Amino acid sequence: MAETYNPSSCDVVSAQLTPFNTEGSGDDIDITPIIVGFTITQSIERPALHMAIQCYDGIGLLESLPIRGEEKLKITMKAHDLQIEKTIRGRIHSIDNVVPSTARDAVGYTLHVMTEISYEAALYSITTAFRNKPASSMAHTIFKKYFSNTQDAVDDLGYQEMIPYGGKKYGMAKDLKRYFYLQPSEGFLSLTIPDFPPQDSMLFVSSKAYSANSPSCSFRFFENFDGYYWCTDEFLIQKYTNNNRIVELNYQAFTTLDPRDAVSQITAIEEMKNTHRTNLPSELQGAYLNTVYEIDLNNHTAKRFNYKYLDSIKKYTATTGSAGPVIENDIHSKDFIEETFNVSRGNAKQFMVFRDYDTDKTGGKGEVVRGEQHYKEIIQNRTSYSKHLNATRVSASLKGRLDLQAGQLVKVNARKLNVSGENVPNKQLSGNYLIQSVIHSVQQGLLDTDLKLIKYDWNDGVDI
């Protein structure tokens, strides 16, 4: 039977609720009929995927079961634009917005769900120490112990996925349909994790990670439909670029409603807002100029290190996947940058690092002294990069597209915004963007997808 094409339709195929400690007993309950809507939220700034399910319960399930906020829930959704089907194996962790109907014959409420792996990890708290290990090794150790044991990944993508920077793609024993992507870091660290839950521990370790392959030092830990990522933005950019998996979206004055032109409808951005154009007060917080005072406790010295964006711009990876952007593509002119962000003005964002480690791992002083930690480089590069990554920040809304997820790379083809009606590209808004966050919302069977997009390059200079 042919699939039904509808660019905005999305159904809950099944939703099986399993009361605590009854798995395999056959006591699963189908709650599909009482689900009236849901939202799924993912972000590269958040370590866990979240789902909120709106229910209209006319059979008294909330009280008669009762639903306690401890149940497992396996829910499968299908979007009828690209026939995308997604399954979330989750745990209900809270219930709120309980409101009786006007006739008092039903009750509405919201079930909040995390994936089962994230839920179980969040029940732990970690107090432990690592000695002389790369940050990526620490992250892998934490993940295997508290999230899921890992194994060699078996690709079911239909193609051989290329993993950049010598990274690894692991299968997860607890969910064979998803993966853990890990980018290697450099240097040996000694860290103590001070009573953090596993998600926060992964973020803590990522904040100390360094790689010469990723000058942005933007190591992140987040969850999306694919699984989990512990990596930098450069890793994400190269992963989608090298595998030719960049999704193309279009923003223009008119989108055809001709059902024979399905491509135009499923790639059309309905609404697009440039939510962040330029913000000088924010840029004064280290975007173009910052200073680190390094206090060396071993050698009793102090040094000042000035970071200038104009000297470093070419080392960062653009969201095009190419070598660093050129100054002509910055939102500010070179003359303005040099005149405004100037050491003589004293407006450099200042940081202080206490150095109790040597450049050499032993430094001739034995194991008492730690090796290079790269804290200066991490602070200066991450501060500047994060400001420029958000130099062009866009919110976009479109129908359908359950396939879009946080950390994905999309190419936006935007047309010039003026009254002339010229069919020419908008070189500031067009280009490759990282999906910072995505919210999929389904109400009455209709799917809306809201994206927050960010890109390092202000002006790609691309031709569409």
Side-chain angles (χ1 to χ4, degrees):
M1 181 176 177
E3 297 285 1
T4 302
Y5 169 74
N6 188 326
S8 60
S9 177
C10 182
D11 299 325
V12 175
V13 177
S14 66
Q16 297 295 318
L17 185 145
T18 305
F20 180 71
N21 217 21
T22 65
E23 193 167 14
S25 66
D27 292 334
D28 294 355
I29 301 168
D30 183 7
I31 65 168
T32 307
I34 70 171
I35 296 176
V36 295
F38 62 83
T39 61
I40 303 172
T41 304
Q42 308 165 50
S43 172
I44 61 175
E45 308 290 343
R46 295 174 56 174
L49 176 152
H50 176 260
M51 186 173 190
I53 302 173
Q54 293 85 45
C55 298
Y56 187 79
D57 183 356
I59 58 176
L61 189 63
L62 179 66
E63 299 294 340
S64 63
L65 183 61
I67 303 178
R68 305 174 184 270
E70 59 188 36
E71 296 79 10
K72 292 184 178 181
L73 180 65
K74 180 181 177 182
I75 182 168
T76 299
M77 305 138 287
K78 184 170 185 177
H80 295 281
D81 49 2
L82 298 175
Q83 309 302 325
I84 299 296
E85 192 169 285
K86 298 290 185 183
T87 297
I88 292 178
R89 293 172 173 83
R91 291 286 291 268
I92 300 172
H93 61 83
S94 61
I95 307 167
D96 59 16
N97 299 322
V98 181
V99 180
S101 67
T102 304
R104 303 294 192 270
D105 59 351
V107 62
Y109 48 88
T110 302
L111 305 176
H112 295 272
V113 177
M114 298 171 66
T115 60
E116 192 170 0
I117 293 176
S118 289
Y119 174 92
E120 292 179 353
L123 300 180
Y124 291 88
S125 189
I126 304 174
T127 302
T128 191
F130 292 97
R131 182 173 177 81
N132 292 334
K133 290 182 177 293
S136 53
S137 176
M138 299 178 193
H140 194 194
T141 298
I142 294 169
F143 191 88
K144 287 194 298 182
K145 184 172 182 179
Y146 297 100
F147 291 86
S148 173
N149 199 9
T150 59
Q151 57 198 35
D152 290 338
V154 178
D155 269 318
D156 59 356
L157 303 175
Y159 66 95
Q160 184 63 44
E161 188 172 32
M162 298 171 59
I163 309 300
Y165 303 129
K168 292 286 291 183
K169 176 183 178 181
Y170 295 100
M172 297 190 295
K174 291 184 178 180
D175 190 344
L176 298 178
K177 297 293 185 180
R178 301 202 300 157
Y179 306 97
F180 174 45
Y181 292 86
L182 180 71
Q183 178 182 354
S185 65
E186 298 173 24
F188 291 82
L189 305 178
S190 295
L191 293 179
T192 298
I193 297 178
D195 194 25
F196 285 163
Q199 284 88 344
D200 289 348
S201 298
M202 295 290 277
L203 295 174
F204 177 68
V205 171
S206 71
S207 70
K208 312 292 183 183
Y210 173 82
S211 171
N213 289 324
S214 303
S216 70
C217 298
S218 57
F219 278 91
R220 308 175 182 274
F221 176 67
F222 65 94
E223 181 185 14
N224 63 14
F225 286 137
D226 286 345
Y228 297 86
Y229 286 79
W230 192 89
C231 65
T232 62
D233 292 356
E234 288 96 337
F235 180 95
L236 296 171
I237 291 167
Q238 296 299 342
K239 174 181 178 290
Y240 284 98
T241 301
N242 294 349
N243 289 287
N244 195 27
R245 296 289 158 176
I246 303 175
V247 173
E248 195 160 324
L249 302 175
N250 298 295
Y251 180 62
Q252 51 197 359
F254 174 77
T255 301
T256 177
L257 298 179
D258 187 341
R260 293 170 296 182
D261 191 359
V263 174
S264 293
Q265 295 172 42
I266 63 177
T267 63
I269 296 175
E270 292 189 326
E271 184 178 3
M272 187 169 174
K273 297 179 182 178
N274 189 187
T275 55
H276 179 99
R277 180 73 170 185
T278 183
N279 187 337
L280 186 60
S282 175
E283 293 160 357
L284 285 168
Q285 301 302 307
Y288 292 93
L289 183 69
N290 61 67
T291 295
V292 166
Y293 292 93
E294 188 176 70
I295 312 299
D296 191 328
L297 301 177
N298 297 322
N299 299 306
H300 308 288
T301 60
K303 294 181 180 178
R304 172 176 175 164
F305 296 89
N306 289 326
Y307 168 95
K308 294 183 179 180
Y309 178 68
L310 294 181
D311 296 337
S312 304
I313 185 172
K314 291 185 178 180
K315 69 182 180 182
Y316 299 118
T317 300
T319 41
T320 57
S322 61
V326 295
I327 191 59
E328 287 80 4
N329 287 350
D330 195 272
I331 195 167
H332 294 303
S333 64
K334 182 177 181 180
D335 290 343
F336 177 84
I337 295 171
E338 290 179 332
E339 195 275 334
T340 304
F341 305 94
N342 197 297
V343 174
S344 64
R345 291 183 182 273
N347 62 12
K349 177 70 173 177
Q350 298 185 12
F351 302 92
M352 185 174 292
V353 170
F354 291 94
R355 184 185 180 98
D356 60 348
Y357 48 87
D358 275 358
T359 300
D360 180 74
K361 182 180 176 183
T362 62
K365 302 176 184 178
E367 290 297 320
V368 175
V369 180
R370 294 179 293 160
E372 178 62 76
Q373 309 292 285
H374 300 287
Y375 289 156
K376 171 175 63 69
E377 292 84 354
I378 292 172
I379 290 171
Q380 292 191 311
N381 285 284
R382 182 176 291 173
T383 299
S384 179
Y385 174 82
S386 64
K387 298 292 183 184
H388 288 278
L389 180 65
N390 288 278
T392 302
R393 190 187 311 157
V394 166
S395 63
S397 300
L398 58 160
K399 293 294 185 185
R401 299 313 298 256
L402 192 61
D403 58 314
L404 298 179
Q405 58 184 343
Q408 195 169 359
L409 202 63
V410 296
K411 180 182 180 181
V412 174
N413 301 323
R415 298 299 170 180
K416 209 166 188 179
L417 305 175
N418 59 36
V419 297
S420 68
E422 294 178 277
N423 191 23
V424 295
N426 184 318
K427 292 187 177 182
Q428 277 75 54
L429 292 182
S430 294
N432 288 355
Y433 288 81
L434 273 175
I435 299 181
Q436 182 183 45
S437 65
V438 56
I439 300 176
H440 296 294
S441 302
V442 171
Q443 296 295 330
Q444 297 180 339
L446 299 180
L447 171 61
D448 289 300
T449 297
D450 295 311
L451 307 173
K452 298 293 184 185
L453 305 174
I454 49 180
K455 70 170 180 171
Y456 186 83
D457 329 289
W458 181 68
N459 181 339
D460 280 339
V462 295
D463 294 321
I464 300 173

